[in-house]
Amino acid sequence: MSDTADLYQQARDVAARAYAPYSGFRVGAVVIADDGRIFTGCNVENAAYGSGICAEGNAISNAAAAGVRKVDTVIIACLDGGECYPCGNCRQIMREFSVDTVVVQDGRGSLRTHDFAAILPHSFGPDSLQ
Ligand code: THU
């Protein structure tokens, strides 16, 4: 099994633990930090809908809590059909940690690899404040 396929399977495994009783849309994310460490996250919803947290944000928060400040790659899986491109808010969270590459599954379960700049062009980031 290739690295990417193995990490995608890890994203599916964590998606299976998503807490998504309201949408029924389970998402998992795997983060590869610049030092090679791997972190995972799933979406965690809330009865106050706006308080739910996405899988990608949770995975990056887990990495940040372990000291990571640069993320190389995020791999995203969803178990309940369709594509799982990251939402706008998660793209902005990725921007903060200088993500280079995002791997998403398409509607048929195949993987697509994107340069981050292609999915969040002309972005606002830490350097924009200097
Ligand atoms: N969701 C994610 O976890 N990541 C995304 O990038 C898009 C959406 C979650 C949020 C919510 O729990 C469910 O999917 C339906 O929107």
Side-chain angles (χ1 to χ4, degrees):
M1 188 180 275
S2 76
D3 272 359
T4 302
D6 180 46
L7 293 166
Y8 175 64
Q9 185 57 51
Q10 286 192 47
R12 292 186 68 82
D13 291 346
V14 69
R17 297 191 288 276
Y19 177 72
Y22 305 106
S23 71
F25 193 78
R26 295 166 294 170
V27 185
V30 167
V31 159
I32 309 173
D34 63 344
D35 59 8
R37 284 186 291 168
I38 303 295
F39 300 89
T40 63
C42 60
N43 53 330
V44 179
E45 297 184 348
N46 194 286
Y49 294 171
S51 297
I53 314 173
C54 286
E56 300 91 321
N58 272 333
I60 290 177
S61 293
N62 287 336
V68 171
R69 295 293 179 264
K70 166 75 179 80
V71 169
D72 288 345
T73 302
V74 179
I75 299 166
I76 307 162
C78 52
L79 302 184
D80 304 299
E83 298 180 340
C84 47
Y85 277 86
C87 74
N89 189 55
C90 286
R91 293 178 199 208
Q92 188 62 35
I93 293 169
M94 292 179 197
R95 173 68 177 82
E96 188 70 20
F97 291 88
S98 305
V99 171
D100 297 311
T101 306
V102 179
V103 181
V104 301
Q105 73 179 59
D106 68 14
R108 297 177 174 171
S110 300
L111 299 183
R112 291 187 197 149
T113 300
H114 296 279
D115 288 336
F116 182 74
I119 65 164
L120 192 65
H122 308 291
S123 63
F124 187 91
D127 46 319
S128 306
L129 295 175
Q130 284 151 22

